[in-house]
Structure formats: C-alpha cells, structure tokens
C-alpha cells in the first residue's frame, strides 16, 4: 500500500521550512514594512506571492482540480529536481525511467546522487510495463514516464500507466509537457483515484511561454505540500506570475495555436511521405516529428548550412538515424521542406 510517510526522506519529514514575511501576512493592501523591501520602484520592489495563489486559483478552475493540488516551479525542471530531493535518499535510493526519454531526468538524478535505472521501451516505442515492474526494488522511489514521450513522440496507454501506479509503493510521475498536442486526454482527472500519481505539465510548449520558466506539478495535497516545504520561497517571479495569469485569461488563443500547429504537423507529415530521403516517419502525438534518414548527421549539417536548426537524435539508443523536427510556422516549415528537397538530390 502506498503511504507517503514511507517514502519522504527523514530530513525532509523533520524540516522546519523557511518562513517568509509574505507567508505570515496574506493581504495585498497595507503599509508593508515587514520584508526590508525598497518602498520605491513599484511593483518590482515587492517580493512575489510564494504560493502563487491567484495563478493557482485560475489554473485550478480551468483544469478541474483544487488549487492545493498544484505546484508551480521555475520550469518543469524544478519540479523534477524537487521530487528527487524530497523522496530519494542519495547513494541509497533509485529512480526508474524509460529509455529513450527526456534527458533532464538522468541529469537531475546524477546531480542528486540517485541511481538512475533505464528500462528500454519496446521496439515500437510502447511501454514495457512488465520490465518496469521487474526493475522495481525496495529502494525505488520514483518511476518517471513521459507521455507523449520526448523524443519518440508517441503516447503510452493510459490504463497501463495507471496500473503501474496502483501496483507501486513509490510515486509514478507522468511528464505531460506535450499533452495539448495529444489525441489522448491528460491523467490529471485521475489524481483523486491514484494517491501516488504526479503529473507534470508546463507553460513552455502549447502556451508559448518557454521564456518565462513556469512548470506545473499536479498531485495530492500531501505530495504538493512537501514540494512547497522544500522549494525556494520566491521561486516564481512576479513578471512570470502576472504574464501566466494573463495567458490563462485567454485559453482560446492557446487552443488556436495548438490547432494551427496540428495542421502544420499534418502538412509536414504529408510532405515527408513524398521524400525518398525519409525512410520512416514515427507516429506523433506531440508538436514534433521523429523521422529516420540514411545519414542523420549529413542531413543535419546540410540544414545548418541553410540556417535551419533541428535536433540530431541519432546517437540516442533506439533512435539511430533519427532527426527530431519541431513543427514551426507555415513559412518555417516550407523553408525546411525546400532545404530537405535540395539535400534529396
Ligand atoms: C520541453 C519539455 C519540458 C519542459 O520543461 P520546462 O522546464 O517546463 O521548460 C518538460 N518535459 C519534457 C519531456 C519536455 O520535452
């Protein structure tokens, strides 16, 4: 049975978190002489709300969750790092992740001196849930999945992921950075049925706000309160909070962008189908396409010469010969196709 008290690190369990001036007094109006701020240069003179309450209220209403089930970080990368720091004892515990997947999981594990166990996906990039279950031992605290997965672009079966969660005493983390581009729904609606589920999302992709650095973790109130306890008090600055709140006021604009990107994704797929250079187009549920070519490095270099930058993933195990191409604007995609056709000849 999953019990959060069995997996929180001992030092985190007993930690007295830093209490900031703004934690103690929650109002917006008044004479603020509590935080040694400069009284001039409003509004940048003020520390931001450490718990980003307004943004959480708004996002919670859009996503159908409670504000207390939301954690905001300086990018998803902060949430990934904090999950490891809260639950994984260095030099003792381990994390299981799939391979190939997002490179930050291993980097964060290495920084935290937590063993990183890679379980390969099946040949067709589907989840090998049996192999993941076999890899779990008493020191496994997190299973990290990514769906739709980067760089393979496919989604995993929702049932398979939820079954993995239910049979596991640690946390099942599902990174949904690309969920807005997916034909499958988010697992956020399953949070109340699975107490050990953590969902990561971000404002960096569909919302078009990578420069602001705002990542999201959704989980039970218990799990979120642990992340809040160990985060830097003012981890999300006031400009980011304000601009993300503005973006949340206009969900339609994000939906328009997603629609346009999905149309362009289809346009690129059809163009690739007519190119002898491209040997394989992998199914995609994301805003990028993984393709196989005979000489990935040569194709990559050719595009660089035309000032078109894509990602060469050919050195990643199971992605030999593969290029990862982000869907751009119509103009950008046409420039890519034109340049690839020149290379074809
Ligand atoms: C792009 C991406 C993210 C986003 O990270 P941020 O730190 O929020 O910008 C997260 N996970 C995956 C798999 C990604 O590809």
């Amino acid at each position: 049975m999953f019990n959060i008290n069995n997996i929180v690190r001992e030092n985190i369990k007993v930690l007295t978190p830093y209490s900031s001036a703004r934690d103690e007094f929650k109002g917006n109006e008044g004479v603020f002489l509590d935080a040694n701020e400069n009284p001039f240069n409003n509004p940048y003179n003020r520390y931001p709300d450490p718990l980003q309450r307004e943004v959480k209220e708004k996002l919670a209403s859009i996503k159908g969750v409670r504000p207390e089930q939301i954690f905001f970080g300086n990018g998803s990368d902060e949430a990934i790092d904090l999950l490891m720091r809260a639950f994984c004892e260095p030099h003792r515990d381990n994390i299981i992740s799939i391979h190939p997947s997002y490179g930050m999981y291993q980097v964060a594990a290495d920084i935290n001196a937590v063993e990183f166990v890679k379980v390969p996906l099946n040949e067709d990039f589907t989840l090998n849930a049996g192999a993941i279950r076999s890899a779990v031992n008493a020191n496994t605290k997190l299973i990290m999945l990514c769906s739709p997965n980067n760089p393979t672009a496919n989604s995993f079966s929702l049932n398979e992921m939820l079954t993995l969660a239910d049979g596991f005493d640690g946390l099942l983390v599902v990174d949904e950075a690309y969920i807005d581009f997916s034909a499958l729904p988010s697992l956020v609606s399953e949070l109340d049925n699975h107490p050990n589920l953590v969902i990561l999302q971000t404002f960096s992709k569909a919302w078009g706000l990578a420069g602001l650095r705002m990542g999201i973790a959704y989980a039970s109130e218990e799990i979120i309160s642990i992340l809040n306890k160990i985060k830097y008090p003012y981890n999300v600055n006031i400009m980011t909070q304000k601009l993300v709140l503005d973006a949340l006021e206009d969900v339609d604009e994000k939906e328009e962008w997603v629609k346009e990107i999905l149309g362009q994704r289809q346009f690129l797929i059809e163009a690739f189908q007519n190119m002898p250079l491209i040997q394989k187009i992998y199914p995609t549920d994301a805003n990028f396409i993984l393709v196989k070519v005979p000489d990935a490095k040569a194709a990559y270099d050719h595009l660089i010469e035309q000032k078109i930058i894509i990602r060469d993933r050919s050195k990643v195990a199971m992605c030999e010969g593969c290029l990862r191409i982000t869907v751009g604007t119509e103009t950008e995609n046409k420039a890519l196709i034109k340049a690839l056709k020149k290379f074809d000849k």
Side-chain angles (χ1 to χ4, degrees), residues 293-338:
V293 297
D295 187 343
K297 175 81 168 60
Y300 174 84
D301 289 342
H302 165 80
L303 289 176
I304 289 275
E305 274 168 35
Q306 324 273 312
K307 295 201 164 62
I308 296 175
I309 301 104
I310 60 168
R311 199 90 203 263
D312 178 3
R313 297 280 76 188
S314 58
K315 290 202 176 62
V316 175
M318 298 177 74
C319 292
E320 292 79 10
C322 287
L323 300 170
R324 193 193 71 191
I325 300 168
T326 307
V327 179
T329 63
E330 183 178 5
T331 312
E332 291 170 334
N333 299 333
K334 283 184 170 159
L336 169 80
I337 288 166
K338 194 168 157 205

Side-chain angles (χ1 to χ4, degrees), residues 77 80 84 97-111 116 118 144 146 149-151 175 178 311 313 316 324:
D77 296 342
I80 294 165
M84 296 185 188
S97 185
I98 50 174
H99 190 83
S101 193
Y102 185 43
M104 263 318 284
Y105 310 144
Q106 168 131 37
V107 173
D110 289 349
I111 290 169
F116 189 77
K118 290 190 268 195
M144 296 285 315
C146 180
N149 187 35
N150 178 5
D175 185 343
Y178 299 98
R311 199 90 203 263
R313 297 280 76 188
V316 175
R324 193 193 71 191

Side-chain angles (χ1 to χ4, degrees), residues 108-242:
D110 289 349
I111 290 169
N112 287 297
V114 171
E115 188 192 352
F116 189 77
V117 180
K118 290 190 268 195
V119 174
L121 295 172
N122 293 317
E123 234 10 78
D124 61 356
F125 292 153
T126 54
L127 204 59
N128 190 343
I132 293 174
R133 261 189 286 273
S134 308
V136 171
N137 66 25
N139 294 327
T140 305
K141 296 297 157 66
L142 306 180
I143 297 175
M144 296 285 315
L145 304 179
C146 180
S147 179
N149 187 35
N150 178 5
T152 61
N154 60 310
S155 296
F156 303 128
S157 147
L158 304 187
N159 272 334
E160 255 185 319
M161 290 192 283
L162 293 174
T163 307
L164 255 184
D166 292 344
F168 180 48
D169 291 338
L171 300 182
L172 183 88
V173 183
V174 182
D175 185 343
E176 292 188 341
Y178 299 98
I179 194 67
D180 296 84
F181 307 103
S182 174
L184 296 182
S186 166
L187 287 178
V188 160
S189 62
E190 292 289 336
L191 282 177
D192 285 336
N193 304 324
H194 306 273
N196 62 338
L197 186 60
V198 180
I199 314 277
L200 304 180
Q201 292 184 359
T202 180
F203 284 90
S204 297
K205 306 286 156 63
W207 292 91
L209 295 172
L212 294 187
R213 310 307 303 130
M214 182 76 141
I216 314 159
Y218 302 92
S220 70
E221 280 88 340
E222 277 182 317
I223 296 170
I224 296 300
S225 68
I226 291 164
L227 298 181
N228 284 337
K229 188 167 148 174
I230 67 173
K231 77 183 185 73
Y232 289 150
Y234 303 113
N235 60 330
V236 180
N237 69 70
I238 56 172
M239 293 297 285
T240 297
Q241 292 192 38
K242 180 185 180 310

